[in-house]
Amino acid sequence: MIRFGLKKHRAVPHTQAATLRGLLGQRPIVLVGLMGCGKSSVGRRLAGALNLAFADTDHEIEKAAGQTIPEIFAEHGETYFREGERKVIARLLTDGPQVLATGGGAYMDAITRDNIASSAVSVWLKATLPILLERALRRDNRPLLQTDDPEAVMRDLMEKRYPVYAHADVTVESRNVSHETVVGDIIDALLGHLQAERAP
Ligand code: S3P
């Protein structure tokens, strides 16, 4: 019998998922990293594999504002967007165990970083410049990349942000392998981190 429904999450045994949920307690898993690193696509699958809810902070900001991100940037500017982002993430962090994909700039905010450190477990999805560019430029919904030289912008963001993303609890390489492989890597890294946290 072909059981299509099982294929997507095959790589994660139920016992592993249950152990991870137990170690998380009430904490969400927060994915951070640059545009194009796969926070949303991998995050959605991670949530499915762990049987947790999934939320995308960009999407929640758009819902709260009744505007798309390009519209918010164009009409109100980046500072306004960042304030909304900080508030929306602070609210989502109180919603219990779930997987949260954050916008690439969210973790650069010191208050958001503190909130994440105190109430969540964070994962940096790290990727190389060519991978980020190739993926991020597939769509035109990222105001920061609407420039003549998106590569230079991305390189600059990597320089500024990578040392900060490195504060996340765990780092996982996002590369050109299946989403399920990256999901498996995240689960292994989180189990290692959370078990070490419990160790006497
Ligand atoms: C941004 C990343 C975007 C979005 C906004 C700003 C950033 O989210 O929040 O365009 O500052 O890196 P993704 O990382 O999901 O593309």
Side-chain angles (χ1 to χ4, degrees):
M1 184 174 56
I2 300 171
R3 301 171 76 180
F4 293 104
L6 289 180
K7 190 167 172 273
K8 271 198 296 196
H9 311 312
R10 178 204 49 81
V12 183
H14 287 305
T15 48
Q16 214 186 17
T19 303
L20 181 42
R21 282 197 307 268
L23 290 166
L24 274 176
Q26 287 307 302
R27 291 174 291 181
I29 297 170
V30 175
L31 302 183
V32 306
L34 265 179
M35 298 172 271
C37 72
K39 291 165 298 203
S40 303
S41 47
V42 169
R44 204 174 287 284
R45 288 167 174 85
L46 176 66
L50 295 176
N51 204 14
L52 291 175
F54 171 78
D56 182 314
T57 64
D58 283 345
H59 180 66
E60 296 297 322
I61 293 163
E62 290 183 326
K63 241 175 33 187
Q67 287 183 304
T68 65
I69 296 208
E71 283 166 356
I72 300 172
F73 269 73
E75 214 169 290
H76 307 284
E78 183 171 348
T79 307
Y80 178 90
F81 169 76
R82 297 296 174 200
E83 281 162 16
E85 182 175 52
R86 188 187 306 126
K87 284 188 201 144
V88 165
I89 294 176
R91 170 173 60 77
L92 289 169
L93 285 173
T94 64
D95 282 352
Q98 60 185 307
V99 177
L100 275 185
T102 59
Y107 197 70
M108 298 305 291
D109 181 87
I111 296 173
T112 296
R113 225 164 36 246
D114 282 352
N115 287 340
I116 292 173
S118 59
S119 58
V121 181
S122 50
V123 180
W124 173 22
L125 274 185
K126 185 177 185 182
T128 61
L129 180 65
I131 288 185
L132 292 170
L133 270 182
E134 192 267 316
R135 294 186 190 156
L137 294 177
R138 281 181 202 159
R139 292 171 64 197
D140 61 359
N141 62 342
R142 290 169 165 118
L144 299 183
L145 298 179
Q146 299 304 308
T147 95
D148 291 342
D149 194 352
E151 180 173 340
V153 171
M154 194 65 104
R155 190 174 288 120
D156 188 50
L157 288 173
M158 286 177 82
E159 247 169 58
K160 292 194 177 111
R161 293 181 178 180
Y162 273 25
V164 180
Y165 292 152
H167 291 287
D169 293 314
V170 303
T171 298
V172 169
E173 296 283 338
S174 173
R175 53 219 194 277
N176 280 334
V177 293
S178 72
H179 289 314
E180 282 64 37
T181 301
V182 180
V183 165
D185 289 354
I186 294 175
I187 289 175
D188 288 346
L190 284 173
L191 281 170
H193 173 75
L194 294 170
Q195 275 156 354
E197 200 183 64
R198 287 250 169 137

